[in-house]
Amino acid sequence: MALDLKVSILAALLGTEYLIKMKKTVTLIVFCLICLQSFGWGGEHRNIAYVALKHLTPTTQKALDFYLDRPITEYASWMDSVREHPDYAYTHIWHCISLTHENKVSMEPLHWVPSMQKYSACLPAGLIQAINLVANRAEQSDSTVSINLRYIIHLVGELHCPGHIYLNDMPDGYGHYYGYFKLKYQGKTVSYHSIFDSTISKAWPGLDEEEMSCIIDTWPFEKQMECCKGSVIDWCQNLIPEIPQIYDWAKPGDELDESFWTDYRKEYLLNLYRLGSYRLAYVLNTLFDPQFPKAQ
């Protein structure tokens, strides 16, 4: 039986007003279920969350179990689908870091971009807002805390995706299409940006999350804490000097295959995954476990 028909029959018994609420709820549930699949940088998000999960304290995990109905790995890619839903349109461009003309991380306010027909706000602004709301959870509803936890789980990893930092010397000003030039990967025409989507399945084929976590999770606790020093803005800003190198790795029209993933390039990306994993665990632990040490 079609989903709309089932909802309509139920609503006929419960009332028209319920129908409106029910259909909206069902739509959101469908989007939430869809988003649990892998999209774009989904494999990277899941692996980052999988490593972070291993570093959560029991106190933190107990709090997350209260606010979330699934492990953090299951919400790692949540934002990539719900951003297409009207209720989450304002989060669409929280997935990028753009820079000012002084090469500083932009903290532009929420605004409508007519040329893109989307709301725009930078990733750091969205992440900082989510962290603050969860930190002040006593003043928020449980559902607000739950939604903002999902933002945090996604966005801490997202800021470490090299293709999502938009440098300010790009064509078309805003730089949204930087890195979208075309080339061939294993004989298929793709955008360069897509090379960094599902990198793990390309560069480390055949490994499951546990096997991949053994490759990512190699830093001692002291080094993990060292990389967590500073603010979200500091984390973003410190990545910027190294990002331009990825645009020396390939040019429009290049033909790439698995040999593209040299040891150096793989290690470069592994370090980004490590930063994302340890910082995600750190943010969650410092939000929920008062005994967890602060990075000094």
Side-chain angles (χ1 to χ4, degrees), residues 169-213:
D169 58 345
M170 300 301 99
D172 303 321
Y174 191 71
H176 182 72
Y177 294 102
Y178 189 50
Y180 282 80
F181 60 80
K182 299 296 183 181
L183 44 68
K184 286 189 174 183
Y185 184 77
Q186 294 186 332
K188 296 182 179 179
T189 300
V190 298
S191 69
Y192 188 48
H193 184 278
S194 72
I195 295 294
F196 294 98
D197 285 344
S198 303
T199 296
I200 286 179
S201 64
K202 296 183 180 81
W204 294 273
L207 298 187
D208 61 24
E209 289 170 355
E210 179 60 30
E211 291 168 328
M212 194 66 209
S213 74

Side-chain angles (χ1 to χ4, degrees), residues 239-293:
L239 288 172
I240 291 165
E242 293 190 2
I243 293 301
Q245 68 171 293
I246 70 171
Y247 298 101
D248 293 326
W249 294 355
K251 299 299 179 185
D254 282 357
E255 296 192 16
L256 309 179
D257 56 27
E258 60 277 3
S259 64
F260 176 77
W261 305 109
T262 63
D263 289 344
Y264 169 79
R265 292 171 184 172
K266 290 169 70 173
E267 187 63 24
Y268 169 81
L269 294 169
L270 283 173
N271 282 331
L272 292 178
Y273 306 151
R274 290 169 182 134
L275 291 173
S277 300
Y278 299 135
R279 287 169 173 171
L280 175 56
Y282 177 80
V283 169
L284 296 174
N285 281 327
T286 53
L287 279 171
F288 291 109
D289 189 344
Q291 301 303 314
F292 193 81

